[in-house]
């Protein structure tokens, strides 16, 4: 049974989500403030509280901003790859993009249906499970970039990269398809899951993050205007 961290400051919404998610087979630890969530994350990371499988974070909170909670999760070595979904009532695109840049795996805007939310969470957990239990003992490489699927390690010129789970999945998918043009729709299906209902800008934000960590090798991920991306030039 997946254990979900629910951070939602509206008590009525929080209670409704708790009831629905429990019916859908999740166990939950729910909080109404960012400070409570941060305290629990610290305890969970150190083994003093239940281990988390996924986090659902509201951005608009009365104390600590939801993005600060996301930053804390990504700064914690034991939870750097924890799947995170952001929930926001904010309409500005900058909030969504910033969340993705900070390492969120997905976002959903209020108002939303409980069915859509559960579909997004399950899609993320399927992808996380695939990376954990899927193809083992596989070494992928292109130029100076290498990925060890078994050890969940990515390197450039032998230097280990600090990647979130979704960034690792994205880079591995590129390496599995060298010199092939991958449309945004195809990447959404293969990396985010068939039930993913987000916008293609999600991919663009994650590609920017991966490129920023590849250093001089960033140019190997080419943008194919109007289509998507390609790992390496066809002329290389």
């Amino acid at each position: 049974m997946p254990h979900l961290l629910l951070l939602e400051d509206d008590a009525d919404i929080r209670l409704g989500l708790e009831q629905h998610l429990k019916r859908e087979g999740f166990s939950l630890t729910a909080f109404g403030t960012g400070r409570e969530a941060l305290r629990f994350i610290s305890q969970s990371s150190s083994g003093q509280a239940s281990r988390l499988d996924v986090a659902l974070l509201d951005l608009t909170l009365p104390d600590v901003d939801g993005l600060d909670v996301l930053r804390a999760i990504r700064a914690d070595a034991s939870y750097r790859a924890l799947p995170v979904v952001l929930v926001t009532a904010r309409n500005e695109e900058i909030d969504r993009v910033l969340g993705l840049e900070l390492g969120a795996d997905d976002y959903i805007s209020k108002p939303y249906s409980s069915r859509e939310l559960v579909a997004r969470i399950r899609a993320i957990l399927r992808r996380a499970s695939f990376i954990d239990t899927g193809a083992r003992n596989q070494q992928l490489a292109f130029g100076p970039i290498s990925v060890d699927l078994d050890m969940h390690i990515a390197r450039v010129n032998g230097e280990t990269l600090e990647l979130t789970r979704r960034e690792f999945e994205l880079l591995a998918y590129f390496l599995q398809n060298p010199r092939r043009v991958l449309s945004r729709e195809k990447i959404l299906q293969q990396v985010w899951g068939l039930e993913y209902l987000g916008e293609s800008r999600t991919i663009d934000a994650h590609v920017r993050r991966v490129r920023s960590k590849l250093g001089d090798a960033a140019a190997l991920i080419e943008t194919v205007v109007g289509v998507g991306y390609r790992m390496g030039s066809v002329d290389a």
Side-chain angles (χ1 to χ4, degrees):
M1 179 181 294
H3 185 197
L4 185 147
L5 170 66
L6 171 61
L7 178 56
E8 168 60 61
D9 68 316
D10 187 300
D12 292 334
I13 294 176
R14 187 170 64 251
L15 179 59
L17 282 174
E18 284 189 72
Q19 294 173 343
H20 182 76
L21 289 168
K22 286 179 179 178
R23 286 196 300 269
E24 291 292 332
F26 294 91
S27 64
L28 284 95
T29 300
F31 298 105
T33 69
R35 289 190 179 89
E36 290 176 314
L38 287 172
R39 187 179 306 113
F40 179 83
I41 291 167
S42 177
Q43 293 171 344
S44 177
S45 176
S46 62
Q48 302 175 46
S50 301
R51 186 74 183 172
L52 294 170
D53 297 301
V54 61
L56 182 63
L57 308 178
D58 189 6
L59 284 186
T60 306
L61 300 168
D63 55 349
V64 179
D65 190 280
L67 291 177
D68 290 328
V69 177
L70 173 59
R71 289 187 182 94
I73 289 174
R74 292 300 178 237
D76 188 321
S78 66
Y79 277 139
R80 191 165 291 137
L82 180 73
V84 175
V85 179
L86 300 181
V87 179
T88 177
R90 302 175 184 178
N91 295 320
E92 294 83 356
E93 180 183 348
I94 185 63
D95 295 310
R96 301 194 297 270
V97 173
L98 180 56
L100 295 171
E101 293 283 359
L102 290 174
D105 295 277
D106 196 3
Y107 70 85
I108 187 168
S109 299
K110 297 177 182 178
Y112 57 83
S113 71
S114 298
R115 183 178 180 181
E116 178 185 357
L117 176 62
V118 171
R120 289 174 181 269
I121 293 173
R122 284 179 172 161
I124 286 176
L125 287 173
R126 277 200 304 275
R127 294 305 305 162
S129 176
F130 173 79
I131 289 296
D132 285 340
T133 63
R136 292 294 185 176
N137 301 316
Q138 288 197 30
Q139 305 286 330
L140 304 173
F142 189 92
I145 306 171
S146 64
V147 163
D148 186 323
L149 293 178
D150 187 29
M151 300 298 294
H152 204 281
I153 295 174
R155 296 185 176 91
V156 172
N157 293 315
E159 296 293 326
T160 301
L161 301 176
E162 294 293 338
L163 301 177
T164 66
R165 178 185 294 273
R166 187 50 50 83
E167 292 164 1
F168 181 87
E169 293 173 357
L170 181 60
L171 182 59
Y173 185 58
F174 282 139
L175 292 177
Q176 288 169 334
N177 296 275
R179 298 192 176 93
R180 291 181 59 188
V181 176
L182 304 172
S183 69
R184 288 175 173 82
E185 292 75 16
K186 185 68 172 178
I187 296 171
L188 283 174
Q189 291 174 356
Q190 297 300 315
V191 180
W192 270 257
L194 290 175
E195 295 180 17
Y196 183 76
L197 304 172
E199 302 173 8
S200 62
R201 284 174 293 183
T202 298
I203 293 176
D204 298 332
H206 278 78
V207 169
R208 284 196 300 270
R209 286 178 56 83
V210 171
R211 280 173 169 163
S212 72
K213 297 178 181 183
L214 290 177
D216 293 339
L220 289 175
I221 301 179
E222 300 182 346
T223 299
V224 181
V225 179
V227 181
Y229 296 95
R230 174 175 54 212
M231 172 60 78
S233 170
V234 291
D235 299 324

